[in-house]
């Protein structure tokens, strides 16, 4: 599968390693010599065009992180303290922070232990008359069951925001993941499958011109600068509370080079996923598999060990050998910040999160390294 040289056995294996296609050096040099380093330069336009091609429309806004993209979505929806937003308990805190910032009540939903993602049922269990939006996280580069979730939300007139931080390149029922909700947010952080070093994108899946204008003004730090740039007004002015969310052109140059190589990055990630799956399918672990109709991007290979003790033993043993395995987040409802005793409220997450083990997937991983990881797991669990 991976036609790269076999590594020296004693070298540590990194959990993540950013791929820098050779063309990146030229792109960065060109961006530097253009002297347009802030947002909106030629690489921003070129990278935006490639993300737009991926989602099938041009309502794509490059941001300096997925966190920023989620914050813009939250601001654009004008949610307040009287509103509730349902967020999966098993996610990175940014998914909730964006909405919590304005005092909106965060209601944490449980996940399906087989996928670590919310379902229509776990969301429905949290619906109240105050629910305005749900944030769906596509965990590990797979996809949540969007058809059923969309059906539920449409019936209750609830907005969907897709946190597709980990799912650029994933398809579900032939469509790019990130094209179902009113908004979707991708991450192009260094640890993601496609990287700008630090970056993200907000996707607006609605042709509503007012919403587009609102997003543009939020990106212009809460001014009507876009109208000023189009010469529709003589002066630009403060129009709302916002922040600095845009992706600088230097980062867009990195992003553009990676997007140009997205096909080979996805191909290799999926090949590594398939290699691990073949090697480990007979071990006593529950591999997280993409649902029916989903072509995952291969960003993450994760499994649930039999129990917490086994997961800890594997993580500690692999760390001693430099095998680059990792756990993942503690559910939000059990976090210090949740500030209340919510233990018992999300049994799916509670029965799984501390059994989760993730294996390295990246462009620099070679066959020998993948085999060493599988040998270690075979020796312990086989
Ligand atoms: C599910 C999820 N949402 C949001 C984020 C935040 O992404 P960023 O680092 O681009 O702000 C992450 C980052 O890991 C994530 O995993």
């Amino acid at each position: 599968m991976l036609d790269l040289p076999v590594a020296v056995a004693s070298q540590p294996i990194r959990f993540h390693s950013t791929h820098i296609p050779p063309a990146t050096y030229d792109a960065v040099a060109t961006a530097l010599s253009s002297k347009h380093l802030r947002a909106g330069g030629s690489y921003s336009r070129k990278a935006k065009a490639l993300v737009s091609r991926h989602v099938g429309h041009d309502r794509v806004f490059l941001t300096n992180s997925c966190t920023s993209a989620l914050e813009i979505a939250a601001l654009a929806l004008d949610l307040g303290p009287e509103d509730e937003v349902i967020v999966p308990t098993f996610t990175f805190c940014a998914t909730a922070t964006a909405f919590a910032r304005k005092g909106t009540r965060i209601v944490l939903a449980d996940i399906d232990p087989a996928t670590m993602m919310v379902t229509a049922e776990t969301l429905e269990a949290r619906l109240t008359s105050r629910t305005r939006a749900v944030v769906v996280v596509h965990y590990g580069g797979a996809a949540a069951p969007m058809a059923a979730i969309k059906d539920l939300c449409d019936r209750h007139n609830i907005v969907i925001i897709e946190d597709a931080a980990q799912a650029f390149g994933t398809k579900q029922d032939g469509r790019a993941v990130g094209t179902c909700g009113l908004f979707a947010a991708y991450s192009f952080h260094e640890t993601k499958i496609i990287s700008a070093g630090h970056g993200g994108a907000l996707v607006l899946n609605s042709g509503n011109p007012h919403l587009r204008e609102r997003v543009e003004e939020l990106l212009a730090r809460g001014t009507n600068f876009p109208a000023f740039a189009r010469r529709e007004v003589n002066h630009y002015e403060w129009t709302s509370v916002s922040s600095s969310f845009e992706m600088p052109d230097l980062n867009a140059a990195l992003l553009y080079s990676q997007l140009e190589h997205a096909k080979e990055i996805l191909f290799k990630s999926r090949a590594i996923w398939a290699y691990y799956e073949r090697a480990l399918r007979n071990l006593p672990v529950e591999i997280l598999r993409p649902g029916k109709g989903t072509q995952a991007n291969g960003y993450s290979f994760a499994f649930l060990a039999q129990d917490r003790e086994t997961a800890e033993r594997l993580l500690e043993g692999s760390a001693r050998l430099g095998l680059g395995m990792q756990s993942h987040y503690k559910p939000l409802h059990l976090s210090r910040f949740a500030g209340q005793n919510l233990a018992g409220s999300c049994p799916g997450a509670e029965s799984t999160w501390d059994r989760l083990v993730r294996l390295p997937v990246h462009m620099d991983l070679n066959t020998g390294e993948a085999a060493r990881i599988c040998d270690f797991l075979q020796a312990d669990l086989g």
Side-chain angles (χ1 to χ4, degrees):
M1 58 123 197
L2 315 169
D3 52 357
L4 292 167
V6 171
V8 178
S10 59
Q11 272 179 0
I13 301 171
R14 297 180 60 167
F15 176 72
H16 177 76
S17 174
T18 299
H19 178 54
I20 313 280
T24 310
Y25 296 90
D26 278 348
V28 171
T30 307
L32 283 173
S33 58
S34 79
K35 298 201 183 238
H36 188 119
L37 309 181
R38 64 185 190 280
S42 64
Y43 280 106
S44 302
R45 285 193 292 279
K46 281 156 65 154
K48 176 186 155 134
L50 293 185
V51 180
S52 297
R53 194 202 294 167
H54 179 66
V55 298
H57 61 73
D58 72 350
R59 293 177 302 277
V60 167
F61 307 91
L62 298 184
T63 56
N64 50 26
S65 67
C66 177
T67 302
S68 291
L70 290 166
E71 297 217 1
I72 297 168
L75 288 168
L77 288 173
D78 263 329
L79 302 175
E82 66 289 353
D83 300 314
E84 291 180 358
V85 175
I86 306 179
V87 172
T89 186
F90 187 70
T91 186
F92 185 58
C93 60
T95 316
T97 301
F99 298 88
R101 202 180 280 291
K102 283 185 76 183
T104 307
R105 182 156 185 264
I106 305 297
V107 177
L108 297 171
D110 202 5
I111 46 141
D112 176 354
T115 62
M116 307 298 280
M117 289 183 268
V118 291
T119 63
E121 290 73 27
T122 66
L123 292 171
E124 190 161 20
R126 295 294 194 260
L127 286 187
T128 73
S129 57
R130 290 165 55 180
T131 309
R132 289 272 314 276
V134 305
V135 191
V136 176
V137 173
H138 299 296
Y139 182 68
M146 291 312 291
I149 290 172
K150 175 126 177 62
D151 182 56
L152 172 78
C153 291
D154 285 352
R155 274 189 283 119
H156 294 272
N157 202 18
I158 291 168
V159 167
I160 299 175
I161 299 105
E162 293 179 85
D163 180 341
Q166 305 170 18
F168 187 83
T170 301
K171 293 205 165 163
Q172 187 176 54
D173 300 327
R175 278 173 62 172
V177 161
T179 56
C180 177
L182 177 62
F183 288 108
Y186 293 122
S187 175
F188 299 123
H189 184 265
E190 185 180 298
T191 54
K192 300 303 182 292
I193 193 158
I194 300 288
S195 156
H198 216 283
L202 177 71
V203 179
L204 169 62
N205 293 309
S206 154
N208 180 333
H210 302 296
L211 210 43
R212 183 180 189 139
E213 193 179 327
R214 176 96 171 102
V215 168
E216 285 171 351
E217 291 195 358
L218 288 166
L219 271 161
R221 302 187 190 80
T223 70
N224 61 344
F225 189 85
F228 174 74
R230 290 192 299 267
R231 296 179 183 277
E232 290 164 17
V233 293
N234 289 333
H235 302 90
Y236 65 91
E237 60 186 301
W238 187 14
T239 53
S240 64
V241 172
S242 186
S243 191
S244 179
F245 292 130
E246 290 176 293
M247 179 187 289
D249 216 51
L250 259 185
N251 293 80
L254 295 173
L255 177 61
Y256 176 70
S257 318
Q258 292 228 343
L259 287 168
E260 279 215 299
H261 293 82
K263 240 188 191 160
E264 69 199 56
I265 296 174
L266 293 177
F267 180 83
K268 177 150 180 185
S269 302
R270 287 171 176 145
I272 295 170
W273 197 97
Y275 178 93
Y276 285 143
E277 199 278 335
R278 266 196 311 276
L280 306 176
R281 64 170 67 140
N282 294 323
L283 293 182
V285 295
E286 295 158 54
I287 295 171
L288 297 193
R289 298 171 193 280
K292 210 164 149 259
T294 300
Q295 188 192 20
N297 59 9
Y299 164 70
S300 170
F301 186 95
F303 62 79
L304 301 177
Q306 270 166 330
D307 48 41
R308 179 188 191 137
E309 292 68 34
T310 307
E312 283 178 359
R313 190 180 67 238
L314 293 174
L315 290 165
E316 282 163 19
S318 62
R320 269 196 303 278
L321 295 169
L323 295 180
M325 299 185 196
Q326 284 197 0
S327 60
H328 215 175
Y329 359 82
K330 186 169 183 176
L332 299 182
H333 78 284
L334 302 180
S335 68
R336 214 178 319 154
F337 189 70
Q340 16 172 343
N341 186 4
L342 297 174
S345 62
C346 296
E350 286 170 43
S351 66
T352 48
W353 72 274
D354 56 1
R355 294 193 285 129
L356 186 84
V357 176
R358 297 184 296 154
L359 307 186
V361 179
H362 54 77
M363 289 296 278
D364 296 332
L365 194 80
N366 62 46
T367 315
E369 291 170 329
R372 272 170 62 204
I373 286 164
C374 294
D375 287 349
F376 166 80
L377 293 169
Q378 292 278 3
D380 189 293
L381 302 168

